Amino acid sequence: MPKSWFAGGVALIAASAVSCGVTASPVADALVPSEPTMINYVDPSWVHGLSTQTLSEGDSGDRHVHVVYPSVDDAPLLTEKLRRTVTERLDRFIRDTSMNSAVRHPEFNVDWQLAAASDQVLGVRLRIGESIGSGWSDSFTTIWYDRMEKRSLDATDLLRDGSSLATLAQIVKEALVARGPEVDPYAIKPDARHFDSLVFNPHGDLVVEFDDYQVATKSLGRVAVAVPASDVEPLLSATGLRAQRAAMRKTDAPASMTSGESMAAATTDRPPARSSKAGSVDCAKAKCVALTYDDGPGPDTRRLLDILATQRARATFFTVGSNASAHPELLRRMRQEGHLVANHTWSHRDLTALPGSRVADQLTRAQRTIIQAIGQVPALMRPPYGASNAQVSSVAGKLGLSVVRWSVDTEDRLDPNPRAVADRAVSRAEPGAIILMHDVHGPTVDAAPEILRRLKKQGYTFVTVPELYGSNGMQPGRTYDSADSSG
């Protein structure tokens, strides 16, 4: 069947002229194609049995945490290794921030991409970002799973042995010498900690990625070296050769486009996202409330859709782009069943801590993914953690997005008790309320039948957010917290 690469899956950094492909981007994760460190990431919806796991906190607290990583049914050892990797880093972050109460809104964020996927191997690239008062820093880790040997592996396990690692370190060091004074090649050691992110480009070259500050005294963005396939093949283990072949499989990845070009192409002849049942309720007369669910789709979203269908209730889903790319079929089901799909950014970063270009990137990457799934253009966005400012509103407005927050916080991130979640949702509801919940939390989905039953008994009708505003509609760039607020 036809295949397509998901949004943001081309390259991350600017082109380089040096022979081994040393590159340094001024902005990490910039959507600028490059050779030879370009990596064509695999569409996660291709992988049977792949879902996502989310760890989060922060809508009601000072610390901002959002972690997403994949789980694969037939690779439980991979899932467990990913879980250990992110939780160990998160535990360290929590310890560090607990000892430094002066830092306002420290942030920990993890997103992922598939570096390769075949019937023999899987490769998951994690980007781990942290801000603890001294600026933002990114680190990269790639975890591999050998389906033939049923083993989860570190990146250096792609190499034959310690001597292969030493040889690779020398090749990379020589390449970094050509990079100039901004990079310190002598910081490189034949140490697994320096080579924990190894992936392959479509030509079979080995791409070695370094963390911020790992080979420089200041942040240069993503620094990477591409070692030619002919040089690296003698160094590879059996798993490494399988991973190389998986990355070299022919694809029909489209030619790269700028963010503006791709958004223009994506929105051409696409209608704005709207509930298929919009107009069936007049909220000027009916007692309306909008249930909203953030951060999904996740493992429990399908069950939530079943519950909503049984009660003939509809909701607004603010989806995270990286999760949406793994479950486009759930987004299509939301649209078909009268719900509304909206934008919750690509990787759930605090937008108020980003420059305008990165705010736009977070929104447009998610926007492209949602459009591809549902064939409609979202008109709503919810800022992660509810954190917004004039710049966020301005960027959202230019992208045709209204900013939606909430008037009722069920605090479902903090309290795993379904009864308590339901009690808060029901006791705080009032006509025109926008109720915040998260479909990535199982207890929240467990609470849904009780919330629906009790609110319906009180005479409430469940509508999508725009229906609260009736004929007045919602304006791009304006902020909405409830039916009584619009700016």
Side-chain angles (χ1 to χ4, degrees), residues 6-200:
F6 76 94
V10 251
L12 303 177
I13 70 186
S16 167
V18 291
S19 60
C20 271
V22 185
T23 58
S25 169
V27 180
D29 287 339
L31 296 177
V32 181
S34 68
E35 288 286 1
T37 60
M38 181 180 74
I39 304 165
N40 280 346
Y41 297 109
V42 179
D43 186 330
S45 66
W46 295 358
V47 179
H48 179 72
L50 185 147
S51 186
T52 54
Q53 302 293 327
T54 300
L55 306 173
S56 60
E57 62 176 83
D59 281 345
S60 304
D62 291 330
R63 187 168 52 223
H64 291 168
V65 172
H66 192 84
V67 175
V68 180
Y69 64 93
S71 62
V72 183
D73 288 348
D74 69 348
L77 294 178
L78 171 64
T79 304
E80 176 57 21
K81 189 172 180 64
L82 291 167
R83 186 197 66 78
R84 287 200 313 271
T85 299
V86 299
T87 55
E88 286 171 5
R89 290 290 297 271
L90 176 57
D91 289 344
R92 188 177 73 186
F93 171 81
I94 291 174
R95 287 196 302 271
D96 291 345
T97 54
S98 297
M99 293 185 293
N100 188 355
S101 59
V103 178
R104 184 175 180 271
H105 295 317
E107 185 175 2
F108 183 86
N109 183 278
V110 178
D111 65 0
W112 62 278
Q113 291 165 307
L114 284 179
S118 72
D119 58 355
Q120 296 187 341
V121 294
L122 289 169
V124 179
R125 175 188 181 269
L126 299 173
R127 183 206 55 81
I128 303 173
E130 299 182 50
S131 175
I132 313 180
S134 57
W136 185 263
S137 65
D138 281 319
S139 59
F140 305 96
T141 298
T142 307
I143 307 298
W144 289 87
Y145 182 73
D146 190 320
R147 282 176 151 164
M148 307 297 289
E149 301 178 6
K150 300 190 183 310
R151 292 194 302 149
S152 59
L153 306 165
D154 294 320
T156 50
D157 291 318
L158 298 181
L159 304 174
R160 293 174 59 185
D161 49 32
S163 64
S164 295
L165 177 57
T167 301
L168 177 63
Q170 185 60 36
I171 294 172
V172 171
K173 184 180 295 186
E174 292 172 0
L176 286 175
V177 169
R179 178 64 179 86
E182 289 188 323
V183 176
D184 178 13
Y186 302 103
I188 298 298
K189 308 295 181 187
D191 187 320
R193 290 173 297 179
H194 286 179
F195 292 88
D196 61 342
S197 185
L198 303 180
V199 293
F200 294 93

